[in-house]
Amino acid sequence: MKLKLSDILITIVIALVFGIIYKLWGPVYSLFKPFGLHIGDVIYGMWFIAGTVAMLLLRKPGVALLAETAAASGEFLVGSEYGLSVLLYGIIQGLGTELMFALFGYKRYTAFVAALGGIAAAVGSLIMDAAYGYVMDLALWNLLLLIGARLIGGFLIAGLLAYFLVEALEKTGVTSLIRPASDEDYKALDR
Amino acid sequence: MKVGVSNLRLKFAGAPSLQFEDLSLHVKESEKILFLGPSGCGKSTLLQVLAGLIPNAVPVPMKADDMVICESTGVVFQDPDAQFCMPYVDEEIAFVLENRAVPQHEMNDLIQYYLDKVGLSFQDPHVEISTLSQGMKQRLAISSMIALEPEVIFLDEPTALLDPEGTSEIWSTIKQIEAKQTMIIVEHKIDEVVDFVDRIVLFNSEGKIIADSDPNTVFSFYKHKIREFGIWYPEVWDEHIKETDLPKDIVRGKEVLSVTNLKGYRGKHPKIQAPEISVCEGEWVAITGKNGAGKSSLLLSLMNVMKTSGEIKVSNQLIKTVHDARSQLAFVFQNPEFQFITHSVYKELAYSLEMINDPNVDEKVNGWLTSYQLEHVKLLHPYQLSTGQKRRLSVGTALFGSQPVLLLDEPTFGQDAQNTFKLLQLFEELRAKGLIIIMVTHDEKIVNNYATRQWIIEKGLLVADRNLERVGEGKAYAMDS
Amino acid sequence: MQWTLNYEETWVHRLNPAFKLVFFLLLFLLLLFIHNPNIITNITVVPLLLLLFSTGHQKKVLLILMLPFLLLFFSSASSMMFFGQGSTTWWKWGLIHITEESFYRGLHIGFRALNFALLGLLFALTTRPVYLFYSLIQQLKVPPRFAYSFMAAVRILPVMLEEFQQLRAALLIRGVKKKKGYRRITQTITLYAVPLLSQSIRRAHRIAVAMEAKRFNNNKRTYYYKPTFSKFDLLFLLYTTIGFGVAFWVGDTFPYFDSTDVRQK
């Protein structure tokens, strides 16, 4: 199950597309966050979507981490207003998603696991926030609101929306390029 | 034997049957061999097997009793926009040299050398690949392929996505490569290749070899097959015209489309200007001109998709917005996939009807499915159709209402001969009913044989507007030679 | 984005890209350990000067790119200002509770975010991705498979942008009506994301096969570009060290805010 060159390239292409969206998402998020009530953090989930989408498409170990890291690098290279912090966030968010698919032995690619992957990425981002400092200095109710909104965002956008997108992509038949052939296909050679 | 395979068995994932069943093929040193066959017969797949790409780079289930693969191969693929990994010309060739572990200090000279070999000369080869024409991109692809110093060259439809000019460019470049070179070619447009190859292997649609001999023999015994497979061979147009009874004298009806002082803008600058146009029922207009001259912009301006000034009238109705335009002008894009918005062929055709609350959706759609020959695929996702089917579907989705004008942006581009003729006949039927056909095309044969009028666009300006006489049989041949 | 903007090359472009990346990463970490709002405010001047005078880009372009940073400054600062913990109350209204501590902490966070943004933009505007990846391979031992894939993927983006415009025109012509509410989101996915992504996936696959056909593999390879270190790297090191040094000294000696440590005690 090693990543082939085409797996890597496809993952990075998808990631870069999302990287551009990540960059555009910055001002959107800033607008959605008026006076810091953190309701806007629901849309934060967009920043985890590359990992789940790539993983659901390619179904190989390492893809979520690679995708989220590459998306963050892309976001950074086009001049993200969050600067280099996006790289570290990307890595840890990607790790979160990766971990969930790993827990299921890279065998289950359902909406449920995708949603868990999105939530895990949200947890990753919160860990970064804590390490970043000051987030613990928020009033408790405000902090809880932040955590809740973030997790819901991960669940909805990086989980369910990502799953919906990949399902729509599968209908176009493009996944036949990516997915490995089944044992039956190989057996048919000997018949 | 240079490369070859014995008893190859290969199956695509999920396919109902084997693509190749015990197929054997052997290629001798310095042989030039052409694979011919209908779309989907697996000729490109076989090329990739022999080039060593399947199953290493592209894992497809396969096995063979015996295989001889050359260590040193070079491949040129069909899509000029999908074979480079670097942004600049010099960097792309350098990428190949790096792969060969050539020392850095030798690279600049070698880049120049390999570019010279394909006639690409730049003062400084640090040129963005995206600024090159498609033909130049393919020559760059050949150059970087030669930079591998391959023993066997594989060409996988290198001109499929090029206009006639680019196609000639490519073949004259390839013919300059050393005479002793072993070459395996897959191609659908074979006008310029037939004299160049020593051997033709003909496949049928099941992926079986039905002929394998020198070009003359294959052509004298299998001409009918080659024709059936939609291959562009030298006389195919003449034969088509001979069999098609195209009316020579066109009855021009009343004026339908009139344009005064049309300008289409991209940003602040006009991309296209057309001072005065008037088109009548039953005309077939071919828009010609160089790449980037503004042909597509003219169509987009008529549709009001670009910012426009001036006056456009269809059937005495002013066209001011895309919405106005849509009810009067049917538009078919160059890339049909972008026009598809649903998950099935049936829904695709029904979409526009449902939008205008047409009471007879089912009846109409079924009628179209028959006339566009799509009834057997009506439940498939539009993306899974063949290129010919996609094109016919996109025409169908555009012509949902009773629009009097059909605008087409290179509708026959990249299509095989069968599909092209099928489409042209479809357009001719529509034209005979009084529809106006306006199409961008690079194909002189279409201009000479089907069009009744030609607009030439140069540097954003409509510079010539002339009526044409359909050449018809005999004369077309004379023009060709 | 280097492939769309016209600019003149300056000395900041000639820094070793990998060095620049690592150095920026260190600056980033250093900023995390600064808790004195006086110092971080001063530090902002260091990247700002470089950005305005040494990137070789037009001032107009720079200002447009920096415009969202104001929004960022406000949105990063506001939640801490209004809802942060603190003991010296300045103003209280409903849920909003501005304290002296939380206000300065918010200000500090705003300036820190601004610094990240300026440094990030500085890097983006002065680094050609191709040089960066060559440098990452040679100086930081990033596997070529990933680096070259990245470079190839970057090439696909402008093509996608073109396709996006075609797609928009096509959908306009087909008269697709925008749906409302959450269905608008799913509609955007099916109409835009699916065609663009599926096209790009196919293109990426073809490019990968073409790269392997050009014998791109894990074998030993040479490099067309060999990024080295130069006096400019030293110059950059000196500029930032002195700049930060001055910022620290001024911040310590002539503070303009009452707070010198914004952490919750």
Side-chain angles (χ1 to χ4, degrees), chain B residues 399-427:
Chain B
L399 269 178
F400 63 93
S402 37
Q403 299 107 313
V405 184
L406 176 60
L407 306 175
L408 303 136
D409 197 352
E410 300 200 50
T412 61
F413 183 73
Q415 303 278 349
D416 69 19
Q418 285 287 339
N419 281 324
T420 300
F421 296 143
K422 239 186 237 177
L423 278 167
L424 290 173
Q425 275 168 320
L426 173 68
F427 301 149

Side-chain angles (χ1 to χ4, degrees), chain A residues 17 30-31 38 42 53 63 85 88 93 117 120 132 145 162 166 185 188:
Chain A
V17 174
S30 297
L31 277 177
H38 298 307
V42 172
V53 168
V63 165
S85 64
L88 302 180
Q93 285 159 189
Y132 218 59
L145 209 58
V166 174
D185 288 317

Side-chain angles (χ1 to χ4, degrees), chain A residues 140-164:
Chain A
L140 183 64
W141 64 270
N142 200 260
L143 181 64
L144 290 178
L145 209 58
L146 171 79
I147 294 174
R150 194 70 68 82
L151 294 181
I152 292 172
F155 168 75
L156 284 178
I157 301 181
L160 298 189
L161 202 68
Y163 185 79
F164 175 81

Side-chain angles (χ1 to χ4, degrees), chain C residues 112-132:
Chain C
R112 193 172 70 176
L114 196 59
N115 266 301
F116 292 163
L118 292 172
L119 283 172
L121 190 62
L122 183 61
F123 190 92
L125 288 179
T126 59
T127 313
R128 205 186 143 215
V130 169
Y131 296 148
L132 173 64

